[in-house]
Amino acid sequence: MDKKIFELIKKEAGRQKEGIHLIPSENFASEEVMKVLGSVLTNKYAEGYPGKRYYQGNGFVDEIESLAIERGKKLLGVEHLNVQPYSGSPANSEVLMALAEVGDTICGLKLSAGGHLTHGHPKITFSGKFFRSVQYDVEPDGRIDYEKLGELVKETRPKIIFAGTTAYPYILDFKKFGEIADSVGAWLIADISHIVGLVIGGAHPSPVPYVHIVTSTTHKSLRGPRGAIIGVTKKGISFAKSFGILDLEKRIDRAVFPGMQGGPHENTIGALAVAFNEADSEEFNDYAHQIVKNAKTLADSLKEKGYKVFGTENHLMLIDVGKERGKEVAVALEKANIFVNSNMVPHDEGSPMRPSGIRIGTPAMTTRGFREKDFIKVADLIDRVCCEVNKNEANLEGNLAEIDIEVKNWMREFS
Ligand SMILES: Cc1ncc(COP(=O)(O)O)c(C=O)c1O
């Protein structure tokens, strides 16, 4: 037995059990999902797609991948689903590869405004390096101004528009995004990585009627394994046909394999099938709605205490903790066993390395059983840590350690 690794895993399991986890992109996958991830499916090579593999011995794997596809299609309401992308970043790159040529114009929300790196972040990313990237911003209140976006799109005429976010605390108006993309004949990609669980559970409007392609990670609010999916909508298929592309689904599949990837991770795909099955339930719908209720309670409680909070209408919020102080506060919270990430706030006067905010989300602790009353307590704990940081007295470390013990004792009440 590799003692070193297993001891470290044991410690990480303890950290996950004893802490308050508020990073909005994290969650706790079920035992069953983890069992499939660690199963014999990891041993099998299966380049290709069900029924068309380059390796023998894929009869059972074909059935598993087909189940994942059918379950996901039903839950999301898409016409076609590729479940092979290794993660969210490859999925978005694969869509770019399928629909655009190097040098084409693409449009996405700025990273500093809550967009994702793969939506055209300039210079250092695949999407920013190989395409001409036009980026839109949020207003000082943190919201997208759809009229402004419409004007930008008319001026710059992108081939692809991304509607998707990683740190945006409001409902995305996919209908408006659809109208904007239609006005210039652009492809519209909804990257619902963060909100997929809310969409499936009915706690956020679905983009499917308004967009051409849907991408999503599967390990955030969906509570599945680390992976991603690419869906093709009815609107996408008829849009493609309108300019002579009769095989949009194949184009997407070919961009995934052999375009960007080799053998699919069938253990992940099996675990995804399980996660889809778990999400196809009343219980999951309740979970999705509880995430939003919990987030609202936490945001309201922090506002009552005088914090400048952006949001929330979904699972996350941004808290302005003072110019360039986000990292300092996130580190202090970690010492108290509360895990968040530092993040830029809208029109931040700091920088990505020295942001002025923290990003907080409720999916993970809602999975652990937290309800509104628990998030009122979380607001108190966050406030106490921020007060300690502001006082910055000699006993700061000792005071944070006291909160840490309090958190650990409290977390024993949750399985
Ligand atoms: C909106 C969005 N798209 C894509 C990704 C990338 O996913 P991954 O980290 O799995 O590559 C993320 C991850 O945070 C995300 O939030």
Side-chain angles (χ1 to χ4, degrees):
M1 188 167 173
D2 188 336
K3 269 198 184 155
K4 264 194 186 156
I5 289 294
F6 281 96
E7 268 165 26
L8 286 167
I9 291 174
K10 204 168 157 194
K11 284 183 185 166
E12 172 60 14
R15 186 194 70 83
Q16 290 190 15
K17 191 159 181 0
E18 291 173 342
I20 295 176
H21 300 277
L22 302 172
I23 294 174
S25 47
E26 292 182 356
N27 214 327
F28 298 102
S30 69
E31 286 293 323
E32 208 169 310
V33 164
M34 301 230 265
K35 212 168 168 181
V36 179
L37 272 174
S39 73
V40 293
L41 293 177
T42 198
N43 299 334
K44 189 71 194 102
Y45 243 104
E47 278 182 0
Y49 290 100
K52 281 171 267 155
R53 303 286 189 185
Y54 288 83
Y55 294 81
Q56 297 315 115
N58 277 307
F60 302 121
V61 158
D62 276 4
E63 282 191 48
I64 287 167
E65 188 167 333
S66 299
L67 265 176
I69 292 167
E70 288 316 311
R71 288 176 181 178
K73 274 170 65 178
K74 178 181 164 223
L75 275 183
L76 286 162
V78 291
E79 299 301 299
H80 177 78
L81 191 70
N82 190 305
V83 294
Q84 294 193 359
Y86 297 144
S87 218
S89 304
N92 286 337
S93 307
E94 286 149 5
V95 171
L96 288 172
M97 187 182 177
L99 303 180
E101 301 296 326
V102 171
D104 278 347
T105 302
I106 64 168
C107 178
L109 181 64
K110 272 186 177 175
L111 185 67
S112 59
H116 192 260
L117 286 163
T118 51
H119 301 176
H121 185 61
K123 290 183 188 148
I124 56 168
T125 69
F126 171 79
S127 60
K129 233 179 139 163
F130 297 110
F131 301 93
R132 179 178 160 257
S133 170
V134 172
Q135 300 250 279
Y136 54 100
D137 206 344
V138 292
E139 296 304 295
D141 65 358
R143 289 180 188 268
I144 294 166
D145 179 332
Y146 292 92
E147 236 173 76
K148 262 194 193 168
L149 174 60
E151 284 160 22
L152 177 74
V153 161
K154 282 207 174 105
E155 249 167 58
T156 55
R157 306 195 81 80
K159 187 163 186 187
I160 290 181
I161 299 171
F162 279 101
T165 61
T166 177
Y168 187 73
Y170 306 108
I171 299 285
L172 286 168
D173 192 335
F174 290 117
K175 187 165 187 277
K176 281 197 182 142
F177 270 111
E179 287 161 6
I180 290 167
D182 291 347
S183 74
V184 295
W187 288 101
L188 180 58
I189 320 301
D191 176 352
I192 58 168
S193 291
H194 261 261
I195 54 169
V196 60
L198 305 188
V199 169
I200 287 173
H204 189 293
S206 168
V208 170
Y210 310 107
V211 309
H212 305 118
I213 303 281
V214 177
T215 63
S216 179
T217 51
T218 51
H219 45 275
K220 297 184 172 80
S221 54
L222 180 60
R223 282 199 300 214
R226 304 196 81 83
I229 49 175
I230 303 174
V232 179
T233 66
K234 208 180 254 180
K235 181 174 173 178
I237 292 171
S238 65
F239 179 63
K241 278 189 184 149
S242 72
F243 49 91
I245 298 177
L246 304 178
D247 60 347
L248 179 61
E249 303 94 314
K250 263 200 193 139
R251 273 197 185 207
I252 294 291
D253 285 352
R254 270 191 247 121
V256 175
F257 172 83
M260 285 249 177
Q261 298 189 174
H265 298 177
E266 293 295 342
N267 56 327
T268 302
I269 291 169
L272 177 57
V274 171
F276 280 147
N277 200 35
E278 290 173 353
D280 192 6
S281 63
E282 271 308 309
E283 203 184 334
F284 191 84
N285 296 351
D286 293 345
Y287 165 65
H289 284 93
Q290 190 65 47
I291 288 174
V292 177
K293 282 191 240 166
N294 284 347
K296 187 166 176 357
T297 301
L298 178 55
D300 289 348
S301 306
L302 288 166
K303 280 179 200 167
E304 271 167 30
K305 293 178 192 300
Y307 288 87
K308 183 171 181 193
V309 181
F310 293 90
T312 181
E313 295 171 355
N314 58 19
H315 62 302
L316 66 80
M317 66 210 74
L318 297 166
I319 320 293
D320 188 337
V321 290
K323 191 177 167 199
E324 298 187 347
R325 299 196 61 201
K327 187 73 185 172
E328 184 187 357
V329 169
V331 168
L333 283 164
E334 180 171 357
K335 288 180 182 160
N337 223 0
I338 300 169
F339 298 90
V340 303
N341 66 280
S342 57
N343 210 98
M344 291 181 88
V345 293
H347 297 260
D348 202 320
E349 290 177 347
S351 63
M353 292 311 290
R354 296 185 67 81
S356 307
I358 54 174
R359 186 181 69 148
I360 298 180
T362 54
M365 295 316 291
T366 305
T367 298
R368 291 289 296 277
F370 271 31
R371 294 293 174 264
E372 288 91 329
K373 66 175 180 6
D374 302 303
F375 277 99
I376 292 171
K377 198 162 162 182
V378 170
D380 283 338
L381 289 164
I382 291 173
D383 182 42
R384 277 168 61 197
V385 171
C386 289
C387 290
E388 291 298 338
V389 173
N390 288 339
K391 279 193 268 168
N392 196 21
E393 288 167 354
N395 56 351
L396 172 65
E397 296 291 320
N399 292 345
L400 293 177
E402 268 179 35
I403 301 175
D404 165 67
I405 291 168
E406 221 178 284
V407 168
K408 282 180 179 148
N409 285 336
W410 184 32
M411 288 311 297
R412 282 200 191 100
E413 295 171 24
F414 296 87
S415 58

